[in-house]
Amino acid sequence: MTSLLNINTRIRENAEDLAAALDAHMHKVFSPDAQKELRLFSASEAAEHLGISTSFLRKLHFDGKVLDVESTSGGRRLYSAHDIQAIRGVLEESAKVPGTYQRGRKPGDKVQVLSFLNFKGGSGKTTSAVHTAHRLALKGYRVLCVDIDPQASLTTLFGYRPEIDFIESGTIYDAIRYDDPLPFSAIVQKTFFTGIDLAPGGLLLQEFEHETPQALRSNIQPPFYARMAAALQEVEANYDVIIFDCPPQLGYLTMAALCASTGVFITIVPNMLDVASMSQFLQMSADLLDVVSNAGANMEFDFLRFLINRYEPNDGPQQQVVAFLRQLFGDEVMVAPMLKSTAISDAGLTQQTIYEVERGQFHRATYDRAMDSLNQVNEEVETLLQQAWGR
């Protein structure tokens, strides 16, 4: 019979072996310096992100209104995210209607704080959150991603190794902890993706779950549900949108994120087991939100939406589940689902999103189908942001 000591030893060895293998994988994928870099975009991609035609983009160059960019030996222009940002600024200066090209916050607009959540693992929270962040950044929004999942998958997707880079400090835990918290700005990291900053996650976040019961007994202020919103106040003026990637549980971290949010996206895979699980999640959420609301938390959202994830249009049972959800929740179910796609999953093997990989790496029809699906989802997200700002 295996002793407990041997089991513990073996688990530790497995953890160390896996960490070493992941570290080697990161260096192999992002060699030589293991740092992620955002690729260059073609003229058609740049024009799409800017919301103009490719011919109009060429005319901007021909008229000398924008600086020239890198080009291939065949003369094809290639645009960095910084180039796209600069061109957006030029377009906005000449726009007849302010905000045509730079659609972020205006004076008086509140920052939009979006939570992606469901307490069932595998519902696509991180995938949805990171693709939304990337798309909004490419559209010119200033984005802060906040990873409050101790598993820190979102942090990993930005090229960090939480089990190494933030083993003792540097995560969002440091900004919301009860004992001498750091300023939020001290834990914000720049990322390789132009327009996106990151508040990293990591295993240390579990300490918040463990410490909160004692903090409640000791009446430490602000209480757990208000700590995230209070911490964000220091930096929120720097961003148009803040995105929370929540853990797959309805704990104190998720509740703190909800109390700081202006919009909520509940991701749901369209099968009856997931729907049944979501039913329990919604009931538990309502009960807990009542408790914190009665304690003084502000629980008013600009919107709540159900995001259908990993959808297969030709799957009859999934179609029935989606129809059931639309009949039940009406307009709260997003029109565009996020399709299940080998392009999205294959990009994830190298810790990338569809917006990072090049079209030539995949079968074009597969890539285009995934890209169209993601863009439609994120157009809905952007519309909700604009409506919340009264536009």
Side-chain angles (χ1 to χ4, degrees), residues 6 22 85 94 270 272 376:
N6 287 339
L22 289 172
Q85 213 172 47
S94 59
M272 289 312 295
Q376 288 176 34

Side-chain angles (χ1 to χ4, degrees), residues 92-364:
E92 181 63 23
E93 287 179 2
S94 59
K96 295 180 180 180
V97 179
T100 300
Y101 298 99
Q102 291 182 334
R103 293 167 54 79
R105 294 168 70 189
K106 297 178 182 177
D109 291 339
K110 66 183 178 183
V111 65
Q112 284 295 310
V113 185
L114 313 180
S115 282
F116 287 79
L117 72 154
N118 194 322
F119 76 177
K120 184 173 177 62
S123 65
K125 294 183 300 296
T126 301
T127 300
S128 302
V130 72
H131 279 94
T132 294
H134 283 187
R135 176 62 168 174
L136 290 176
L138 289 169
K139 295 281 294 250
Y141 293 83
R142 302 169 300 162
V143 181
L144 172 66
C145 287
V146 184
D147 190 354
I148 61 169
D149 187 347
Q151 297 177 74
S153 298
L154 185 69
T155 300
T156 301
L157 283 168
F158 280 102
Y160 291 99
R161 297 164 296 174
E163 74 283 359
I164 296 174
D165 296 332
F166 309 115
I167 191 65
E168 294 182 352
S169 64
T171 69
I172 182 66
Y173 168 72
D174 290 322
I176 60 172
R177 67 192 186 200
Y178 296 100
D179 179 21
D180 194 23
L182 295 178
F184 201 99
S185 56
I187 58 99
V188 171
Q189 303 285 333
K190 293 295 181 183
T191 74
F192 73 99
F193 209 105
T194 301
I196 301 180
D197 290 343
L198 172 71
L203 284 175
L204 277 173
L205 279 164
Q206 280 297 124
E207 296 300 312
F208 188 76
E209 300 287 348
H210 299 153
E211 293 167 356
T212 294
Q214 178 59 45
L216 287 170
R217 286 191 292 270
S218 303
N219 197 30
I220 296 177
Q221 298 297 315
F224 78 91
Y225 56 80
R227 297 188 77 81
M228 195 76 74
L232 283 172
Q233 285 180 358
E234 183 207 351
V235 300
E236 66 179 28
N238 301 329
Y239 304 102
D240 302 309
V241 183
I242 298 173
I243 294 177
F244 281 114
D245 182 27
C246 297
Q249 63 187 46
L250 194 58
Y252 297 117
L253 286 164
T254 300
M255 297 300 293
L258 280 173
C259 291
S261 295
T262 60
V264 175
F265 294 95
I266 299 175
T267 57
I268 175 68
V269 178
N271 64 62
M272 289 312 295
L273 284 176
D274 283 70
V275 171
S277 174
M278 186 178 71
S279 174
Q280 299 175 53
F281 167 73
L282 292 175
Q283 185 59 57
M284 290 175 60
S285 298
D287 292 342
L288 288 172
L289 291 174
D290 280 343
V291 172
V292 296
S293 179
N294 292 335
N298 178 16
M299 301 309 304
E300 294 182 354
F301 303 130
D302 290 326
F303 52 84
L304 181 149
R305 292 292 186 274
F306 295 93
L307 171 55
I308 305 298
N309 220 309
R310 294 169 58 192
Y311 179 56
E312 299 181 76
N314 296 323
D315 186 311
Q318 282 202 0
Q319 290 179 1
Q320 293 177 20
V321 172
V322 171
F324 168 75
L325 292 171
R326 294 195 188 282
Q327 182 179 16
L328 191 62
F329 297 125
D331 291 342
E332 288 189 335
V333 179
M334 294 181 68
V335 175
M338 185 174 287
L339 299 184
K340 183 177 182 180
S341 171
T342 55
I344 295 174
S345 56
D346 287 353
L349 292 175
T350 53
Q351 298 170 1
Q352 293 178 293
T353 70
I354 284 292
Y355 295 115
E356 294 178 69
V357 297
E358 296 188 42
R359 190 178 183 223
Q361 294 179 237
F362 300 93
H363 187 283
R364 289 194 172 188

